[in-house]
Amino acid sequence: MSEIILEACDLVKEYPALRAVDGASLSVSKGEAVFIVGPSGSGKSTFLRCLNHLETATSGKVLFHGKPISSGQKALNRYRAKVGMVFQHFNLFPHLTIRKNITLAPVTTGLLNHKEADALAMELLERVGLAEKADAYPMQLSGGQKQRIAIVRSLAMKPEVLLFDEPTSALDPEMVGEVLTLMKELAKGGMTMVVVTHEIDFAAEVADRMVFMDQGKIAAIGTPQELLNSNVPRMVEFFSRINN
């Protein structure tokens, strides 16, 4: 068995009128691509945000390399440098060039000096075919380009795990493919990934394991084939609706 990098232990996230995550447990091994699927409102994104401590769980815990994450902003920042997150809406700084968007975090945190960060930024931009956009601003890029830059920005911190929250949901359909291609390359390259998505065909192709969430609970975990071929009525209903 590969080393378990990230582990959620009986996570609960309650709001005044809702238990968004209800006793969810999941372990993620090094180099594994885990895709979380399920109906809207099932707690997928809240669970992912709890993994990165963007949401504070009501109870339960998250372990990184078997250890709980220390409280305090400095400890959280160190953790988030190792467990990066890519959001639906890019979150690029509009007043900074693409190069500056990428180099800001590694330089600010002391991970790299300016020269090292700039070299890494250009290397990553070459890798995703956007080197010519280094000195452009976000408003000059398409949605698909912005999302690829958001992924590059996370990669610049040299994370051990990348979390993706519906990374294609804000994109026009013709731009989805370029982002999925990059994610597929990352998975093939051994990046540990946890991905919340509605792209079921993509998940079936790339995921090592698929997680089905419903009403805040992790209802099933297995290979994509096991879940897609399940005879559990709730999953049959969900996947048939997605495929229609």
Side-chain angles (χ1 to χ4, degrees), residues 12-77:
V12 172
K13 176 60 179 179
E14 289 184 318
Y15 298 101
L18 174 70
R19 180 172 278 212
V21 179
D22 189 4
S25 296
L26 177 69
S27 60
V28 181
S29 298
K30 184 176 182 179
E32 188 177 27
V34 177
F35 281 64
I36 304 175
V37 302
S40 296
S42 61
K44 305 183 299 295
S45 291
T46 304
F47 176 65
L48 197 74
R49 290 173 68 85
C50 286
L51 291 181
N52 206 36
H53 283 258
L54 292 170
E55 296 278 0
T56 302
T58 307
S59 63
K61 57 188 175 180
V62 177
L63 304 179
F64 184 57
H65 289 290
K67 298 178 181 178
I69 292 85
S70 301
S71 59
Q73 196 58 50
K74 286 186 177 180
L76 280 179
N77 288 343

Side-chain angles (χ1 to χ4, degrees), residues 103-114 117 157:
T103 60
L104 181 64
V107 170
T108 302
T109 59
L111 179 67
L112 300 171
N113 62 37
H114 284 281
M157 290 299 291

Side-chain angles (χ1 to χ4, degrees), residues 33-37 147 151 162 164-169 171 175-188 191 193-210 223-225 228 239 242-243:
V34 177
F35 281 64
I36 304 175
V37 302
Q147 191 61 290
I151 295 171
L162 270 183
F164 293 83
D165 185 12
E166 302 275 14
T168 60
S169 66
L171 300 178
M175 297 177 183
V176 168
E178 60 196 66
V179 175
L180 297 184
T181 296
L182 174 56
M183 292 174 64
K184 189 186 301 184
E185 290 172 0
L186 291 174
K188 285 182 178 178
M191 172 60 72
M193 300 163 57
V194 183
V195 184
V196 169
T197 186
H198 281 108
E199 301 281 350
I200 302 300
D201 289 343
F202 178 66
E205 181 183 357
V206 177
D208 295 301
R209 284 188 299 154
M210 190 184 284
T223 66
Q225 291 71 28
L228 289 168
F239 289 123
I242 290 289
N243 290 328

